[in-house]
Amino acid sequence: MMVTLSRPGRRSLLIGAAAAGVAVTTARMATAKPPGAAEGPWTVELFTSQGCSSCPPADAYLGLLAKRPDIVALSFHVDYWDYIGWKDSFATRATTDRQRAYARVLKQRYVYTPEMVVDGIGHDTGRERAGIERLLAEAQRRSPRRATPELSRSHSGALTVKLAAFPLDGTPADVALAIYDRRHSTPVDSGENRGRMLDNFNIVRRLEVLSRWDGAAASWTVEDAGLQPGLGAAVIVQRADHGPVIGCNKLEPMVSG
């Protein structure tokens, strides 16, 4: 099926429009890896805060993971540390709600930062990289066949997402679109990280569910994706209500000029 989406037809989870004030340039047609790729990719979602002194090493690690073609690495900034002296400008309550939903599904006693959720099946701080690699290996073992979406960007900036038919065995999946900033450096003048310059990578600025998917071949076109230079797109296909991820892909940001 082919569905063209405008904003009222989608279920918005967070974050509003991505960073404003970036000039739009003409985009060439760019297509991500097609469906059925055996080598992934796999998701790593980092829940972080600029107000948390334990987070910068995990932020740096996510920046390394973001360079890997087999990883869709996304940074979600939570708001529950804003009260301790520094308000994270990227943080939203909806991001915190996403982390709390994972905590419920993964049967955690509490939420914490930094936390990396790998493919929706497990979590770790990311301080010891071996822990994340173990979770990635477990994700590959659990889900060797992937519902990998195909992403393409038109000259007008619209984003098209295509999924081939995939056996869901009666359990639906959510198809979620994330628009992210590639990198930001922020000088912090108060709170636990006072005096530091913090680097954050693949910061999610907009996340919304395009559809609840029944596994039939489908296509969605997002006319207002807003993929300006420096902004990338990722699509996560996961069992409904924050279950395991069964497919994902990314469209890397364009560089202006």
Side-chain angles (χ1 to χ4, degrees), residues 6-65:
S6 60
R7 184 170 301 277
R10 300 198 296 274
R11 183 150 53 98
S12 181
L13 298 181
L14 56 105
I15 288 168
V22 181
V24 177
T25 61
T26 301
R28 66 183 185 278
M29 180 67 74
T31 303
K33 192 181 303 178
E39 63 269 28
W42 321 93
T43 64
V44 177
E45 299 177 56
L46 170 64
F47 293 92
T48 185
S49 171
Q50 291 180 341
C52 168
S53 61
S54 299
C55 286
D59 295 325
Y61 180 33
L62 189 89
L64 295 177
L65 291 171

Side-chain angles (χ1 to χ4, degrees), residues 80-250:
Y80 51 82
W81 294 127
D82 284 357
Y83 77 95
I84 60 175
W86 176 258
K87 181 174 175 55
D88 189 328
S89 62
F90 303 125
T92 69
R93 174 58 55 87
T95 301
T96 302
D97 289 343
R98 181 170 178 84
Q99 187 185 24
R100 293 191 185 282
Y102 273 132
R104 171 180 52 81
V105 171
L106 297 174
K107 303 187 186 311
Q108 299 172 223
R109 295 176 58 190
Y110 51 84
V111 295
Y112 63 93
T113 55
E115 179 184 30
M116 288 185 173
V117 176
V118 176
D119 231 36
I121 65 167
H123 60 97
D124 198 286
T125 64
R127 295 174 189 169
E128 299 293 334
R129 299 180 184 184
I132 300 302
E133 291 298 336
R134 283 194 296 270
L135 285 170
L136 286 168
E138 174 66 11
Q140 294 165 18
R141 185 191 67 79
R142 287 194 186 196
S143 181
R145 184 182 178 193
R146 304 286 277 180
T148 304
E150 179 182 348
L151 280 61
S152 61
R153 177 194 294 118
S154 74
H155 292 286
S156 67
L159 177 73
T160 297
V161 179
K162 295 181 180 180
L163 276 166
F166 189 85
L168 292 181
D169 302 322
T171 304
D174 288 330
V175 180
L177 168 66
I179 304 298
Y180 61 89
D181 287 348
R182 179 170 52 190
R183 179 172 181 171
H184 279 281
S185 296
T186 305
V188 176
D189 57 18
S190 61
E192 290 188 354
N193 288 313
R194 181 178 181 178
R196 301 184 66 172
M197 178 72 73
L198 299 185
D199 292 323
N200 298 112
F201 303 87
N202 286 17
I203 307 158
V204 175
R205 307 301 300 279
R206 169 178 162 186
L207 178 72
E208 49 197 295
V209 173
L210 299 181
S211 179
R212 181 150 286 185
W213 184 46
D214 63 3
S219 176
W220 301 267
T221 296
V222 184
E223 298 290 348
D224 62 343
L227 291 179
Q228 302 166 357
L231 298 180
V235 171
I236 300 174
V237 184
Q238 65 186 131
R239 297 291 182 178
D241 299 322
H242 300 86
V245 174
I246 59 173
C248 60
N249 213 345
K250 59 184 176 181

